[in-house]
Amino acid sequence: MLHELARLPQGLKPDEFHRACTSLTTSVVFGAESLRSRAGSLTRDVAVFGRVRPISELRARLAALTLEDVNAFLAGYNPVGHATVTTLGPVDPGGPLAESVFSLPAEVHHA
């Protein structure tokens, strides 16, 4: 997972962008049908945006999103640089977790 997050500043490929847009649009549409999901969305909208965003607005904003917009944002986004990996118990220095963390690009590796 850390490797995928470290890859984000390189941008998305067109097929990744298309899948993400389809998934988000589907989530917005079907999320509006579930009472629990809609209640969570309404609460989050009020907490984050100070207002409830109508479903039509969400769908319009998703439809207007372009691959270039997303990649321009991702170029300056470095989630791994601020991530902390915490484990409980010993970590095998040659094990998969250690290999994963210590094989990250130097600019995001903070050992």
Side-chain angles (χ1 to χ4, degrees), residues 87-93 97:
T87 64
L88 295 174
V91 174
D92 177 8
L97 177 62

Side-chain angles (χ1 to χ4, degrees), residues 27-45 55:
S27 177
V28 166
V29 171
F30 287 119
E33 294 179 2
S34 160
L35 184 58
R36 179 177 293 193
S37 177
R38 188 66 183 136
S41 295
L42 294 172
T43 303
R44 184 175 42 255
D45 275 3
I55 300 299

Side-chain angles (χ1 to χ4, degrees), residues 68-77:
E68 292 76 22
D69 292 336
V70 172
N71 284 342
F73 169 80
L74 289 175
Y77 183 61

